[in-house]
Each structure stands twice: as structure tokens, then as C-alpha cells.
Amino acid sequence: MSDGRAAKRVAKFIKPLRVKPGSTVDLTEDFDPRYKADLKKRDGVELLSTGVSLLADLQARLAAQDTYGVLFCLQAIDAGGKDGTIRHVMSGVNPQGVRVSGFKVPSAEELDHDYLWRYAQRLPSRGEIGIFNRSHYEEVLVVRVHPENLDRQKLPEEAKGPDVWQRRYREINDWERYLTDNGIKVVKVFLNLSKEEQRLRFLKRIDRPEKNWKFSAADVREREHWDDYQEAFSEMLSATSTPWAPWYVVPADRKWFARICAAAVLAHTLIGIDPQYPSLDGQAREELLAARGGLEAEAP
Ligand code: AMP
Ligand code: MG
């Protein structure tokens, strides 16, 4: 397939997943976790491998060009499939060009800083793809659903008012705009899992010894806050899908389909950057040719 055709196909594929900037999202109404675009799992396997090789080529060019960085943020409820998505989508790219950062309960040192500090520390450099397994969006998700997290953040009184979430949305949008304007593109994927599929995945984690480590009793307690999370997700998607960094809601009940979508969203951003291998100017080319001549003359 030509590059142009691949680009169009990717753009068309991800369009229904994009949250239109300025729109109001009601997650439970607007996005179906089981949507699969009339694809069959069998075709999906081939499509993912096409996507993975496309990403490998684009990432090599991104690294060589060394001008843009890409920040790929993955958010989801527990068992949404973040880890597996990263494993599969990035399976073809050069590990030297990728950095994965996971974010858990903040440390004492992290709590002693402004809330975006720890995320800023893990940003990708130019030429790099940085993956956030959970991201700065936890600051308007788990912190909102469990306000005691906000109490631990040692904020001054004036930063804790009832407008705190609106303010954080604005600050996050501003931060992402700043990054984008300076060559660090921000890509955001929300893996949209249904409550029933989460139940089934938790059961697997309990029943299969090799999956036990992924499960804790706290996950079931968190599940009791399902509706609060859906609301926090909906508000986050409505307030922070921007022209410079739109959200993509990826149907997550079928792992194979979620992976294709995530790969396509990332590929779409890289295609937009269209990174090029640097070409040499006249003098550098002459030096190269001179070096070649010397090496040839050394031939035994
Ligand atoms: P896991 O991804 O399963 O290893 O779990 C990480 C845990 O850290 C999740 O329960 C998150 O909700 C929690 N977490 C991540 N970021 C924050 C944050 N900023 N404040 C409080 N908890 C967080
Ligand atoms: Mg977990």
C-alpha cells in the first residue's frame, strides 16, 4: 500500500473514536466498549502486524530527524488493558527510541512538588516516543474520586476550592498546548471497558495463578466506585479534548481490537509529523565521499 493510502486508511479508521473538541461526552451513552468496526478477529491479527511495521518505520524516522517527540498517554479503569496494549503496539519498535513510565500512588518527594512535576520529569525528548501508563490525568480521576488524595497534596488553601477540577483541566490543556507548540506532540487514548468485561477479567486474574499478581482486593473496592469513575472520565474527555491534543476513546472489551485502534492513533500522529531522515548538505556530502575514498584506498 502506498504511504498516502495508508495515511488515509488510518485517518478514516480512527475518526469515530475521536472526541470532538468542545463536545460534551457521556461515556455510557456515546461510546460502545464492544464496537469493532465490522472487523473479524482473524483480519485484526493481520491489520495489527501491518500497523506494527508501519510504526517501526515511522519511529526510526522520528529518531533520525530528532526534532519532534511524541507523548502517548494511556488511561483506563483497572483491567482496561493498558499493559497488553503497550506490549503489543510497541512490539516492533526499537527499544532505544521508546521510554515507558508508569504512575502509581505519588511518593513523599512527589507530593512535595506541584502536581504536574512528576509527569514533566518523564517527558520524551526529541526523537523519542514516551509512553505514560497512567498519566497526569490521574490528577483529575483517582484524585477526584477519592478526594483524600487531594488532601495529601499539601496544597495551599486557595488551590483547593470547589473550582479545583475546572482549574486543573485548564492547566492540563495549557501544559499540553505548550508541549505541542514546542515539538512534543501529545496523543491520548482512553481504553473504554464495560463493567461486565471488567468483572470477567478480574475473575481470570483470580482463577489463573500466573495472573494473581495483577489482582488485589483493593481492585474490587475500586470497582464499587464504577459510576463515579465513569462520570470523572466523561468530564475529563469533555474538558480536555482539544484541537492540539484530542482524546480517542478506544473500545476495550475486545483486546485485539483495542490494540489495533491504539496503534492506529499513534501512527496517525507520526504520519502527521512525517519525519524525514536528515539529508546532508554539500559540505557534509563531500566529507562523506572523501571518507569513502580513504576507506576504499585501504583495501588489501
Ligand atoms: P497499577 O497501575 O495497578 O499499578 O496501580 C497504580 C495505582 O496508583 C492505581 O490505583 C492508581 O489509581 C494510583 N495512582 C496513580 N496516580 C495517582 C495519583 N496521582 N494519586 C493517587 N493515586 C494514584
Ligand atoms: Mg492495578
Side-chain angles (χ1 to χ4, degrees), residues 119-140:
Y119 308 98
Q121 300 230 319
R122 309 289 190 84
L123 287 171
S125 62
R126 303 194 190 283
E128 235 180 13
I129 299 177
I131 300 178
F132 279 4
N133 184 344
R134 301 185 188 271
S135 69
H136 47 297
Y137 283 98
E138 291 294 332
E139 302 295 335
V140 292

Side-chain angles (χ1 to χ4, degrees), residues 10 51 54-55 58 262-272:
V10 169
L54 181 68
L55 284 175
L58 287 161
V265 169
L266 180 57
H268 178 71
T269 299
L270 288 163
I271 290 168

Side-chain angles (χ1 to χ4, degrees), residues 78 82 103-106 118-119 134 138-139 142-143 149:
D78 289 322
K82 299 187 302 296
F103 295 97
K104 306 201 181 249
V105 177
R118 64 170 183 162
Y119 308 98
R134 301 185 188 271
E138 291 294 332
E139 302 295 335
V142 67
V143 180
N149 288 306

Side-chain angles (χ1 to χ4, degrees), residues 78 134 205 214 219:
D78 289 322
R134 301 185 188 271
R205 289 180 177 188
K214 279 214 158 208
D219 290 344

